[in-house]
Amino acid sequence: MNLSNLGEFGLIHAIQRLSSGRSPDTVIGIGDDAAVLKIGPATLLLATTDMLIEGVHFDLSCTDHYSLGWKSAAVNLSDIAAMGGLPRFCLTSLALPARIPVEAVMDFYRGFHALLRAHKTILAGGDTCSSKGGLVISVTALGEAKKRTIISRAGAKRGDRIFITGTPGDSGAGLELLRSGVRSQESEARSQGAGGRGQKPGVRSEDFNSELIERHLRPVPRVKWGRQLALSGCASSMIDVSDGLSSDLFHLCEESGTGALLFSDKIPLSPALLGSADRLRKPPLHYALSGGEDYELLFTVPSARVRTLEKLHIPATEIGTITAGNAVFLVNAAGKKTILKPTGYDHFKRANDRVKR
Ligand code: ADP
Ligand code: MG
């Protein structure tokens, strides 16, 4: 069988089946946003790692190195946030092509540290080597949590209500704009200054487009909201939206052994996404369902705890309901149900002709 038939997640399941089993101290192993490992009587270690590969996850003609550093940190801290944990330490490994200027590497770390500082997280080590191909970045984030506050992907129950923070789709739309040559004011300014080596100038955009592009280049991990949800005990399950709302809802349902109804007219679309619709190839809902790299939190709350959620004042919108079975349906404003396919990113199922979205 080849990889495109098995798909990224089929392959991960196969690796999981072959792996050497779980020790009693592996509270959560392969299959969630971060591993949860028992290291003391009350304290749990959270561990997650993500790679960013030039030509797969990013294109240096669309991003500056500072933003790349920021984003490399953000995608990892987002996985700690998705468990309700507190990020503490990071490790970075870089494979660097000979052509990359030293100042670009420094810019990468300036961006990386800007995000880490905001979350009081420390860079504690890593590895550096040369690359015969493109730039390869691997980041590991370590965090901590108490056992009773961990929010896994697996806790959703029939009847739970589904919420999402922020506005999904902005990042995917921002990527499409970048790839069609639009640049944000901010990214254009960065490409003039130290941060912009490699970034090509493009058509300058002043308004909504800039907002979408910034959402793609500088995602903000929802660490504070993840902590609030964890400490309040109101969420029954959680995942961060990295592959796309449709795919990540699937991952959550798969791990919880449930189905879901997702109400298309309740999915919050940003004014920027709606306002840029005429520049985008697909309708706004497409980006919200399949765009990916939003790094928002998708979580479930039992009805009895919705009041607790409201008191937290997290900007989250109710978008669906968990059901029995395993089917995930999209329900439109008229009540018509269609099977929702996981149309977000899978590393092996798509033609390798474009950057990750
Ligand atoms: P995320 O999008 O939250 O980073 P992934 O989809 O990358 O999550 O991974 C899903 C799960 O599979 C995680 O628990 C991750 O640790 C695990 N995983 C992915 N690839 C491998 C691998 N090669 N070996 C072991 N575990 C893996
Ligand atoms: Mg994740």
Side-chain angles (χ1 to χ4, degrees), residues 8-9 12 15 29-33 50 79 153 240 242-243:
E8 178 186 349
F9 304 103
I12 293 174
I15 294 171
I30 296 173
D32 219 303
D33 291 295
D50 269 297
D79 278 327
R153 294 179 179 180
D240 68 325
S242 53
D243 296 326

Side-chain angles (χ1 to χ4, degrees), residues 9 31-35 48-50 71-85 141 151-154 163-166 168 219-223 225-226 229 237-253 255 288-289 291-300 344-345 356:
F9 304 103
D32 219 303
D33 291 295
T48 179
T49 190
D50 269 297
K71 187 165 180 172
S72 304
V75 304
N76 279 275
L77 264 52
S78 178
D79 278 327
I80 300 288
M83 307 302 294
I151 311 175
S152 78
R153 294 179 179 180
F163 291 82
I164 190 163
T165 60
V220 177
R222 305 308 192 181
V223 175
W225 299 340
L229 290 167
S237 70
M238 183 150 69
I239 185 170
D240 68 325
V241 180
S242 53
D243 296 326
L245 171 56
S246 62
S247 293
D248 288 313
L249 179 58
F250 254 86
H251 296 321
L252 187 143
C253 287
E255 294 299 322
L289 290 172
E293 298 198 282
D294 296 303
Y295 301 105
E296 296 294 347
L297 296 175
L298 177 69
F299 59 97
T300 57
Y345 195 79
K356 174 171 180 172

Side-chain angles (χ1 to χ4, degrees), residues 30-73:
I30 296 173
D32 219 303
D33 291 295
V36 181
L37 311 166
K38 196 168 170 203
I39 51 164
T43 307
L44 298 174
L45 173 71
L46 305 180
T48 179
T49 190
D50 269 297
M51 300 229 288
L52 284 90
I53 314 275
E54 185 178 353
V56 178
H57 299 88
F58 62 91
D59 178 342
L60 286 174
S61 67
C62 293
T63 184
D64 58 282
H65 290 92
Y66 184 103
S67 298
L68 191 57
W70 171 289
K71 187 165 180 172
S72 304

Side-chain angles (χ1 to χ4, degrees), residues 73-222:
V75 304
N76 279 275
L77 264 52
S78 178
D79 278 327
I80 300 288
M83 307 302 294
L86 192 65
R88 297 289 311 278
F89 305 100
C90 279
L91 305 169
T92 54
S93 298
L94 299 181
L96 301 166
R99 62 176 153 80
I100 192 165
V102 172
E103 193 54 25
V105 181
M106 296 302 108
D107 276 340
F108 174 92
Y109 277 100
R110 286 184 191 109
F112 192 85
H113 281 296
L115 198 278
L116 256 54
R117 263 195 307 277
H119 296 281
K120 299 189 171 60
T121 301
I122 304 295
L123 177 62
D127 193 24
T128 306
C129 58
S130 64
S131 166
K132 294 232 164 83
L135 172 60
V136 178
I137 302 155
S138 170
V139 179
T140 298
L142 304 171
E144 68 170 74
K146 300 273 179 256
K147 189 165 184 188
R148 59 176 181 80
T149 66
I150 287 285
I151 311 175
S152 78
R153 294 179 179 180
K157 297 268 176 330
R158 177 184 171 185
D160 286 359
R161 321 237 300 248
I162 305 170
F163 291 82
I164 190 163
T165 60
T167 51
D170 295 351
S171 172
L175 174 61
E176 186 178 309
L177 292 170
L178 278 169
R179 300 196 80 210
S180 67
V182 181
R183 294 290 176 269
S184 66
Q185 284 172 293
E186 294 85 347
S187 69
E188 203 73 334
R190 288 195 294 266
S191 71
Q192 311 301 320
R197 252 159 300 278
Q199 190 179 354
K200 279 189 216 137
V203 180
R204 195 166 147 163
S205 141
E206 309 234 324
D207 40 26
F208 288 149
N209 293 350
S210 285
E211 212 176 304
L212 299 177
I213 288 169
E214 287 303 294
R215 294 264 289 148
H216 180 74
L217 294 178
R218 305 263 186 113
V220 177
R222 305 308 192 181

Side-chain angles (χ1 to χ4, degrees), residues 1-8 11 346-351:
M1 188 189 287
N2 61 26
L3 283 174
S4 64
N5 291 333
L6 191 57
E8 178 186 349
L11 181 67
D346 180 310
H347 273 274
F348 305 121
K349 289 230 155 145
R350 296 242 172 140

